[in-house]
Amino acid sequence: MPRPRSSWRAPAAVATLVTLLGLMGTGLAVLAPPAAARVADDTPLRVAIESLTPSVVPARGPVVVRGRVTNADTEPWQDVTIAPFVASSPVTTVTELASSIATADLDPAAPVGDRILDPGTFATVPLLEAGSSVAFELTVPRRVLRARGVVADGVYWYGVHALGSGPDGWDEVADGRARTLLPLVTRRTERRATASPVEAAVVVPVRARIFRNADGRLANVTGWVGLLSPNGRLGRLLALGTAPEGDRLSWLVDPAVIDAVQQLAAGNPARDIGPTDGAEEPDAEDPAPEASDAPSPSASSTPEPDPATDTATVTATTLATGWLAGMRQVLAESDTLALPYGDLDLAATATHAPALYETARTRSAAVFEELGVDVTPVNAPASGRITTEALDLVEPELPVLLSDEMLEPQQASDTADPIAGAAPVVATAAQRRVLLSSSAAARGGPTPGDPLAGVPLRQRLLAEASLRLLDPTRPPLLVTLPSRWRPDAALAEGLEQPWLRLSGLTSLASAPAPADSEVELTYPADEQAAEIDRASFVAAERLMAAGRTLQRVLTRNDRVADEVSAEALATLAYLARGAVTDPAVASRQAILAMLDDIEVQAPAAVTLSSSNGRFAATVVNGLPEPVTVEIEPVGGDGITIGVPSDVEVAGDGRATVLLSADTQRAGLHNVSLRITDSEGVALGGATRVPIRAAQVSGIIWLFLGVGAALLFGAIGVRLFRRIRAARRTPAPEAAETPQPDPATLTGAP
């Protein structure tokens, strides 16, 4: 093994050898059909391109590529030479480009260009230890590219080779490579395109898998911390949106993601059953409470977590607050596209529960209205595929964003532009207007390396757009990035070109469909098998019904039904396909358990002394919030139970109510009492009340009447006899009154 070198400059002998190797490593990829899979990179040296400036071949000035080379071997490598390469002839059609990339992906070692070994264009690393990496920067002047044939319009292969001396010594094959695409638009073509540039829309999805615990809290808060962190997918989306040209992208947003992040920003509270009617709790004469930045405690049946011990929640709250503020500004300044709430599985919805689509649309509009962002409602299945039944479900005026993979291969070639080879963007399917996104462009750049990294993906988009520029009709470019794409801010940097106009999906959607754009869409069996199943829709609808019941019961809450509905819709999302458990089932059970805490208590038995009477029952509220319920009697043929309406019970309180019973049949009546909401939906179990009625017969009333007559008759006879006896007895003579003595009257002695 050669000894390590102390200098970055390759000696003349090495340079000569590398030059010879470069001459042997020439060639262009041949055309081949698209590959089904990409071969993994197993080279000992891994090369990554992190920056390519400018993003197209300049009229003047150099092309600068920056990146990093890593020793993935278990042994050190010496005399590692890092050199750029470029193809000598361009690709000129979209079809040729796709075929060329597919062929190169099948064989990462296939030569696609000539190494450039002019002085100052390459670098050497004397020693690269196992597992270590080093950054590089290579500068290639425009004259060097021109000398190698980079002069005509089209797309050129461009990249970096790394080769050196490893455990097996020196050989003539590159030991590591990174390949990308470099478009060239000549000045003449650019001048012609100034008045009519290529229209393009790059759609960036804002989707996430949203699951909640039974109490309504977001599950896996640690996972959300990872998503919202600067290196997480949602965090990188924000960086992309705030990068230069980031506001020229189209943002496809599931409003359920916005709701979820808002919940995290509020501390991830449980389902709230507290007052939402705006009524003031304290009396007018009570002093106002001191101002506080702390959120008010949630009136929930589940205690709030202690933020001091819940580190993940505290971190998530901080990250979510910053993300919301930044993303609100990005969406307000960009072309924002609103999905149905929860990113509803449209094909499955059309089959199992069509009415939920309108519910999801209404909820979506409310979220963005509260956010203060103007949006364009669209329908865009995450897979890019949809059924004709789902097309009939959605509003005719709303854009439907699909993948051109829904076209049969033969049909795609028949309808493709004859020059560019691209399928039409605006088409008609099943008498509905649809937008077809380029699936080839969405796959990103060539391998090895990550084809969806910022630079490879950006270069693929520019390559696709530049090839459409060669068509006099200027067909537009529409690219929808994968739902789980890991964003990279480098995507937006370099997209600004005088011959390219990022107009957004909304602008493309307003273009009329060509007269001959009728296409037939295919829906594969594996896509149908992956749909959300009927059981999940049943569980979601039952959860929504439980939420509506809970809201009707709560006296001062008019929002919990919407919150529960949002939870249910999120379980029917595209990204929820294949879930092992259904959160809707557990959430419904939790709500039913809350409703079971409201019950009625009655006497063990009731006896009526006549055909009617009254008895007391007690409504017990085990919830911390006031409720308004109804008492419904069940059973008891031949007896009528009168109950009051709208029984109000304070939180954790009891209320005694009087019930009336009326019957025309003596005997035992088994009556059950149960609590219902205002629409008669039962909340829990029933309480059994045996009621015994003793009806008085007509004979008893006859005996009572005769007895009363005899009593009053005897009283009358006795009074008559007393009066008659008093009349027969003579009155006694009156006694003579003595006269006074005159002398006494006159005062004589």
Side-chain angles (χ1 to χ4, degrees), residues 38 87 117 125 172 328 377 386 392 402 442 450 457 475 479 483 522 557 588 595 659 667 675 700:
R38 301 188 177 195
L117 295 167
V125 180
E172 299 178 351
R328 180 184 287 111
I386 199 172
D392 293 336
L402 305 175
D450 182 6
L457 179 57
V479 181
S483 297
T522 61
N557 189 302
R588 176 174 177 266
L595 296 174
L659 284 69
I675 298 295
I700 295 178

Side-chain angles (χ1 to χ4, degrees), residues 539-561:
E541 290 182 311
R542 288 178 176 175
L543 174 58
M544 293 180 184
R548 292 191 293 269
T549 298
L550 179 60
Q551 179 169 302
R552 287 193 293 266
V553 165
L554 295 171
T555 305
R556 298 180 53 199
N557 189 302
D558 58 0
R559 297 181 186 174
V560 69

Side-chain angles (χ1 to χ4, degrees), residues 559-606:
R559 297 181 186 174
V560 69
D562 285 341
E563 294 177 6
V564 174
S565 176
E567 294 178 31
L569 290 173
T571 66
L572 305 176
Y574 282 101
L575 295 185
R577 288 180 171 184
V580 178
T581 59
D582 191 345
V585 176
S587 294
R588 176 174 177 266
Q589 293 300 324
I591 293 177
L592 294 181
M594 296 171 64
L595 296 174
D596 284 343
D597 287 340
I598 309 171
E599 59 181 357
V600 59
Q601 298 176 351
V606 175

